[in-house]
Amino acid sequence: MGKGGSVTSTYRVQLTPDFGFARAAELVGYLRELGVGNLYLSPILQAVPESLHGYDVVDHGRIRAEFGGEEGLRALAAAGLPLISDIVPNHMTVPVPESGNAQLWAALRDGPGSPEAKWFDFQWPVALPVLGDEPGGLRVDGPILRYHDHEFPIRPGTEHLPLPELLEAQHYRLVGWRESPGYRRFFDVSSLVGLRVEDPEVFAATHAVTFRLIEEGLIHGLRVDHPDGLADPGGYVRRLRPHVSGPLWVEKILVDGERLPADWPCDGTTGYETLNMITRLFVDPSSRESLIETFARHTGVRDDYETVTYQSKKQVIERFLRGEVDRLTAALGDPALRDAVVELLAAMPVYRAYANPGERPPEESVRIVADAARLAATRADPDAVAKTADLVLYGPPEAVVRFQQTCGPVMAKGVEDTALYRWYPLAALNEVGGEPDRFGVSPAEFHAFAAGLPPRTMTTLSTHDTKRSEDVRARLAVLSELPREWAMAVDSWASVVSFDPRLDYLAWQNLMAAWPITVERFTDYLLKAAREAKTAISWMDPDPTYERGVREFARRAVEECGYSVAAFTEVVDRYARAGSLGQKVVQLLMPGVPDVYQGTEITDFSLVDPDNRRPVDFDRRRRLLADPDDSWDGQKMLVTTTALGLRRRIDPEAPYVPIEAGKHAVAFARGDRAVAVVTRLPVGLERRGGWRSDTITLPHGRWRDLLTGCAYTGRVPLAHLLARHPVAILEG
């Protein structure tokens, strides 16, 4: 907390059954010394007992028992750091056994007339995709229908019917596990069932505990998970705001240039748009064509990113989201529009356009749908597309809402979880909300972006959902300055070990950037990447032979090429350290509330979840905080704690003032209190002979570099300012 009780920074911890409230409380002293303002918790309501992430909530009325329950939460709150909590309004889990979700159980038992039925976005009778490929396994056990580990309630009065008649008499239908469920779900995850928080009673019931915790002062602010899945995200935020006097952030993915709707009364997003802009700042755009050519040569992919994205969206729509499209088409009232629906969804460039039934859609929403319709009209009947575009903006309420709710899954599964695993010339750019065909931004572009940020929006570099941690991306960014050296290295590795050209090149990038990495971690990453790419296998279409090939490739790549990968990574690290420290300084001192993801106060070379949710060695971090050495880890700790400390002394409203620093540095001031200076494109800097006579002109006054203790005024040679560290943190 800083001036006037405002939030200065957050530190995100991933709670698990092995790391609950008591373990988090043990960190409070360390985090306060680090300079953290608020402790930011993953979801705290009761989830599936074994859950490692907490987004699979089963009971909104209880604090999670595995974490220590409400007593444990109170003890954590009393430890001294104000708490931010992640909440999940969009969905609950369909647990196994299903009796673990009381509201779901009652709704399935008592049908559409039950009080619990309004909780869920059901299509009656509700299709439940649980049946395996082998017949049999169903049995009646009193009031329960059992199928292996699954349990389903039997409608009262039907218990004694013969099994075929009993199945027909239920409010649900058991269908094959690959089929679409009879409910809105989270993306294509059938085990997460969508909630109808637009209903006042459901809103009240699902938020009662959270609001009580806020009223009692145990929770200071909220992070809202995936509001785009809701029927009316803006309306939800407006209902939520009066209950939250502290910070309120929404996990909204903004595609480049997109802005958060102006009428949402929240402090901002969770920072993916900032993450992507910071990453691009450290990428050399001059290598674009060279890296694309190396990628194409190794993978055989000659299509551009736009084409790959379209193909990926079409595949996930037809293969994994058929139920959602069928339901949307039915809401439009014209089965002949299905092809137009598919093409309009595939053409949408953002996660949602924010049109609400009965309201005049914003001009920006109309423009987005119109642009998508023009593109879709080149791929489907233009008249049908025009009619569809009109209906999803002005048509039946259900059609308007369902179109909005389907755009997100198409983007998330088609782009995030498919296209980004198929088109990856420089994987540092393949982040949530990223555009991998946009190589780099200039300092001027970055300054314009940063100056326009809301003062209390969240900024981040790593999260529990990032594809690669910040330091993995820092290493990969260096490849944009070493494209020829990289091409030669990957050619040599590929000549020794190869498996699937569509996967191998992604494997080599991540092996280098996450090095050192165990065979097990590398194998787990590649299996997930292959399943997400969906070019050979998917989560729904396993292939044991292919998966054995992935495992063998991973083992051989580490064992036979590891020494060479290590040597190349050692060269990369001479430059990646500057990018790692630079992006940390920029994020911690630019406008917004910076979040530090658990462990990233020193280097962290994690890949996509669950790899990035592994336990953190806090003992090592405590030692480095007490005595930072000159290693990369020690320098990153020093930079993090220094910047967090200064951030506490900066007014959140302090203006962002760009400072001219040339091609190889980025600098800005925050009012008259702080100046940040960081190195960018260090390979090019070295090749030109260093800083030479480059200078920077500091704002009026006397400035002290908090990292070195040196004082500066006026015009300063960059060779002096950045002699000891590749970054400077100045306080006036």
Side-chain angles (χ1 to χ4, degrees):
M1 302 289 284
K3 279 189 171 184
S6 63
V7 179
T8 60
S9 63
T10 62
Y11 189 97
R12 163 81 180 212
V13 294
Q14 192 67 39
L15 298 169
T16 70
D18 293 328
F19 191 94
F21 298 136
R23 293 285 301 278
E26 294 171 1
L27 287 182
V28 167
Y30 161 74
L31 295 178
R32 290 174 70 91
E33 191 177 350
L34 188 64
V36 170
N38 286 65
L39 180 56
Y40 165 22
L41 307 174
S42 59
I44 62 173
L45 298 183
Q46 186 61 51
V48 175
E50 63 275 13
S51 174
L52 296 178
H53 52 77
Y55 292 94
D56 40 7
V57 175
V58 293
D59 186 352
H60 291 85
R62 288 191 294 140
I63 306 299
R64 192 165 170 192
E66 294 77 23
F67 297 166
E70 186 161 329
E71 182 180 349
L73 178 65
R74 289 182 179 278
L76 173 58
L81 270 183
L83 303 180
I84 306 295
S85 179
D86 197 341
I87 62 170
V88 192
N90 177 67
H91 54 265
M92 293 181 77
T93 197
V94 181
V96 179
E98 287 71 6
S99 54
N101 184 329
Q103 286 77 28
L104 178 67
W105 186 265
L108 294 177
R109 180 190 63 213
D110 300 330
S114 65
E116 293 81 7
K118 67 174 63 176
W119 279 55
F120 305 105
D121 190 356
F122 279 159
Q123 194 172 24
W124 300 95
V126 185
L128 301 176
V130 298
L131 297 179
D133 298 328
E134 298 296 322
L138 283 168
R139 62 188 179 88
V140 175
D141 182 8
I144 296 173
L145 177 64
R146 299 190 183 277
Y147 178 71
H148 301 296
D149 294 334
H150 296 274
E151 296 178 353
F152 305 100
I154 293 177
R155 184 177 180 176
T158 67
E159 299 92 338
H160 304 297
L161 293 174
L163 185 60
E165 286 88 342
L166 181 146
L167 293 175
E168 284 295 318
Q170 303 312 307
H171 295 295
Y172 53 85
R173 298 285 181 268
L174 304 185
V175 300
W177 69 275
R178 290 184 178 86
E179 295 187 38
S180 297
Y183 48 82
R184 179 175 60 82
R185 52 187 168 170
F186 175 71
F187 299 154
D188 64 345
V189 184
S190 294
S191 61
L192 296 174
V193 55
L195 286 169
R196 297 183 63 253
V197 294
E198 64 271 23
D199 184 284
E201 291 182 25
V202 178
F203 177 85
T206 53
H207 291 73
V209 168
T210 297
F211 291 162
R212 176 173 60 79
L213 296 174
I214 293 173
E215 290 166 6
E216 294 182 23
L218 299 178
I219 298 294
H220 180 63
L222 299 178
R223 177 262 196 195
V224 178
D225 183 65
H226 188 51
D228 274 350
L230 304 176
D232 179 9
Y236 170 78
V237 177
R238 286 187 287 274
R239 290 197 305 276
L240 194 63
R241 178 82 268 187
H243 299 274
V244 187
S245 58
L248 176 59
W249 293 293
V250 293
E251 188 215 18
K252 166 62 188 167
I253 310 304
L254 297 174
V255 180
D256 191 51
E258 187 184 6
R259 292 291 176 261
L260 198 65
D263 61 347
W264 287 21
C266 62
D267 292 281
T269 73
T270 52
Y272 282 104
E273 70 279 11
T274 305
L275 178 158
N276 283 301
M277 284 297 286
I278 293 174
T279 296
R280 293 186 195 119
L281 184 60
F282 293 89
V283 170
D284 186 349
S286 68
S287 66
R288 184 182 194 277
E289 297 309 317
S290 175
L291 287 171
I292 290 176
E293 176 52 35
T294 301
F295 161 74
R297 181 164 54 82
H298 277 273
T299 63
V301 177
R302 294 286 173 178
D303 290 325
D304 60 18
Y305 175 63
E306 186 177 324
T307 300
V308 170
T309 296
Y310 171 66
Q311 294 167 344
S312 299
K313 285 182 176 181
K314 284 293 293 289
Q315 181 178 352
V316 300
I317 288 170
E318 296 294 8
R319 181 72 181 85
F320 304 100
L321 300 174
R322 291 187 65 88
E324 285 77 3
V325 173
D326 289 346
R327 203 169 175 187
L328 170 57
T329 304
L332 293 172
D334 185 351
L337 297 179
R338 192 182 192 284
D339 288 346
V341 168
V342 167
E343 295 299 345
L344 187 61
L345 287 168
M348 285 289 288
V350 294
Y351 283 70
R352 189 159 178 150
Y354 304 108
N356 289 322
E359 300 177 11
R360 181 174 180 173
E363 289 183 12
E364 179 66 5
S365 302
V366 174
R367 182 194 65 78
I368 290 170
V369 173
D371 288 348
R374 277 191 289 274
L375 180 58
T378 66
R379 300 163 173 163
D381 177 62
D383 292 337
V385 170
K387 182 178 179 181
T388 301
D390 183 72
L391 287 171
V392 301
L393 287 172
Y394 309 103
E398 184 181 0
V400 175
V401 171
R402 292 214 180 281
F403 178 76
Q404 298 293 326
Q405 289 179 310
T406 309
C407 288
V410 171
M411 283 290 287
K413 303 310 296 183
V415 179
E416 275 185 49
D417 293 343
T418 305
L420 294 186
Y421 287 91
R422 293 182 178 183
W423 204 90
Y424 44 84
L426 184 63
L429 302 171
N430 290 47
E431 200 43 80
V432 178
E435 295 174 289
D437 58 345
R438 185 180 178 192
F439 284 67
V441 295
S442 68
E445 290 174 290
F446 179 81
H447 289 318
F449 168 83
L453 282 175
R456 291 176 176 81
T457 193
M458 183 178 280
T459 66
T460 192
L461 289 176
S462 300
T463 79
H464 61 290
D465 275 338
T466 39
K467 306 291 187 188
R468 278 160 277 273
S469 69
E470 60 203 64
D471 294 312
V472 169
R473 297 197 308 276
R475 280 175 166 172
L476 289 167
V478 174
L479 302 185
S480 70
E481 293 198 85
L482 299 171
R484 287 189 296 276
E485 293 85 345
W486 166 249
M488 292 172 61
V490 79
D491 284 351
S492 69
W493 303 332
S495 69
V496 177
V497 184
S498 62
F499 171 59
D500 180 350
R502 296 167 297 185
L503 183 67
D504 293 1
Y505 190 64
L506 183 65
W508 294 122
Q509 288 189 65
N510 286 278
L511 181 62
M512 184 283 295
W515 189 266
I517 186 171
T518 64
V519 171
E520 181 183 23
R521 281 180 58 210
F522 189 44
T523 299
D524 288 347
Y525 170 75
L526 289 184
L527 286 170
K528 179 165 184 171
R531 289 164 181 152
E532 299 287 29
K534 306 171 188 65
T535 52
I537 59 172
S538 72
W539 297 103
M540 290 178 62
D541 300 295
D543 179 345
T545 301
Y546 183 90
E547 290 166 19
R548 280 195 300 271
V550 171
R551 296 177 189 279
E552 179 68 6
F553 172 87
R555 182 191 64 78
R556 290 187 59 204
V558 172
E559 293 178 358
E560 298 179 31
C561 298
Y563 68 94
S564 177
V565 171
F568 187 86
T569 305
E570 186 176 352
V571 173
V572 165
D573 283 353
R574 293 188 350 225
Y575 310 104
R577 182 185 298 206
S580 166
L581 301 181
Q583 64 186 0
K584 202 70 169 178
V585 169
V586 168
Q587 184 238 343
L588 294 179
L589 293 178
M590 69 191 292
V593 176
D595 175 57
V596 177
Y597 183 62
Q598 60 178 24
T600 60
E601 59 268 37
I602 68 172
T603 58
D604 177 81
F605 299 102
S606 295
L607 300 174
V608 73
D609 67 279
D611 194 61
N612 59 14
R613 302 174 187 178
R614 289 170 295 137
V616 175
D617 183 353
F618 284 108
D619 288 340
R620 170 167 166 72
R621 286 156 178 80
R622 284 189 179 95
R623 292 193 298 270
L624 278 171
L625 178 60
D627 185 21
D629 55 31
D630 204 38
S631 66
W632 187 350
D633 281 341
Q635 288 187 347
K636 194 175 181 192
M637 175 63 80
L638 177 64
V639 160
T640 301
T641 190
T642 302
L644 285 175
L646 178 56
R647 182 66 185 75
R648 295 167 74 95
R649 301 188 290 275
I650 300 173
D651 187 330
E653 304 281 350
Y656 177 92
V657 183
I659 299 175
E660 175 56 43
K663 177 181 178 181
H664 290 286
V666 177
F668 58 85
R670 295 298 310 281
D672 59 1
R673 193 62 189 261
V675 169
V677 185
V678 307
T679 303
R680 69 185 289 263
L681 308 185
V683 177
L685 176 64
E686 180 181 85
R687 287 174 176 169
R688 75 187 280 263
W691 294 111
R692 301 192 295 199
S693 60
D694 292 359
T695 62
I696 184 173
T697 301
L698 298 174
H700 179 74
R702 183 176 176 84
W703 297 88
R704 185 170 70 94
D705 185 350
L706 301 179
L707 299 176
T708 65
C710 296
Y712 300 96
T713 58
R715 191 174 176 188
V716 181
L718 284 169
H720 291 176
L721 183 63
L722 302 177
R724 184 168 172 188
H725 301 290
V727 300
I729 300 173
L730 308 173
E731 184 170 17

